Amino acid sequence: MQNNDPHAERHRLLHGYLVQHGLKSSRQRDLIADVFFRAGGHLRVDELLQRVRTSDPRVSQATVYRTMKLLTECGLAEARHFLDGQTRYELSEGSGKHHDHLICTVCGAIIEFVDTRIEELQDRVAREHGFTVMDHKMELYGQCAKCRVAQAS
C-alpha cells in the first residue's frame, strides 16, 4: 500500500498479525481488507462480498467470512449484532474509543453517535452500585426522520 494511503497502517497491522500467527497473505485477503477499510459503515458479509466482487468476481463468501474473522481477531474490525440477527462489521476504533448506535427498525439505517453526558451518567451509575464496567453498548431502536416522514405521507 502507498504511504499516502490512510489505511496503510491497518494493512501493516493485518500483515503483522498474519506473520505472527504463521498465516499467509493473499491477494484476495488484501482486497477484502482494503474494500472493508474504505467502505466504512456497518457491512454484512454479503454486502462486502458484493463490493469485493466488482474487483474480483472469483472471491468466495467463505473467503470473506474468514477474512472478517481475522480482522476481528487482530482488532481491526468489530462484529456488531443488532436485533435483526445479522452480523455487521465496522472498523474498530481502538481501545478507549467508543460510540453508540441509533437503528431504524423500518429502513435499517444505523447512525453512530457519541454523547459524553450519557457516558458520564453510565459511569456514575456504575460507581454508585460498586460496579466496574469492562465494556458496554447502547443501541436505540426506533424510526429515523426519513421513515417517519414517509410513514406520515
Side-chain angles (χ1 to χ4, degrees):
M1 297 295 133
Q2 298 174 359
N3 287 342
N4 61 355
D5 180 353
H7 304 291
E9 178 63 13
R10 288 185 174 108
H11 283 284
R12 189 189 67 69
L13 289 170
L14 173 60
H15 287 274
Y17 181 87
L18 295 174
V19 168
Q20 183 180 13
H21 289 84
L23 302 169
K24 293 182 180 179
S25 181
S26 74
R27 189 187 54 74
Q28 286 189 345
R29 188 176 281 160
D30 287 340
L31 173 63
I32 294 163
D34 194 55
V35 170
F36 173 70
F37 295 156
R38 294 176 190 286
H42 303 82
L43 291 176
R44 298 185 315 260
V45 165
D46 62 315
E47 293 170 324
L48 182 56
L49 177 63
Q50 185 177 18
R51 291 179 187 203
V52 167
R53 283 187 173 165
T54 63
S55 297
D56 183 350
R58 297 168 296 155
V59 173
S60 72
Q61 188 173 37
T63 301
V64 175
Y65 271 110
R66 285 191 300 269
T67 301
M68 293 314 298
K69 183 176 188 277
L70 278 172
L71 292 176
T72 303
E73 288 170 355
C74 71
L76 293 170
E78 291 185 37
R80 298 289 184 192
H81 307 280
F82 299 120
L83 283 183
D84 65 2
Q86 297 209 19
T87 301
R88 288 178 172 75
Y89 293 90
E90 66 180 347
L91 287 173
S92 177
E93 297 181 305
S95 86
K97 295 186 179 179
H98 172 78
H99 66 265
D100 296 305
H101 297 93
L102 299 168
I103 299 119
C104 181
T105 58
V106 177
C107 71
I110 300 171
I111 301 162
E112 296 178 352
F113 72 95
V114 174
D115 187 312
T116 56
R117 294 168 301 170
I118 291 173
E119 299 302 314
E120 290 166 1
L121 180 58
Q122 290 173 142
D123 290 341
R124 189 185 86 210
V125 168
R127 274 192 316 275
E128 288 172 357
H129 291 274
F131 194 81
T132 301
V133 175
M134 305 306 282
D135 193 14
H136 79 279
K137 64 180 181 173
M138 178 181 285
E139 298 168 2
L140 302 174
Y141 294 87
Q143 289 184 355
C144 68
K146 190 169 141 184
C147 288
R148 274 197 333 276
V149 168
Q151 195 172 38
S153 302

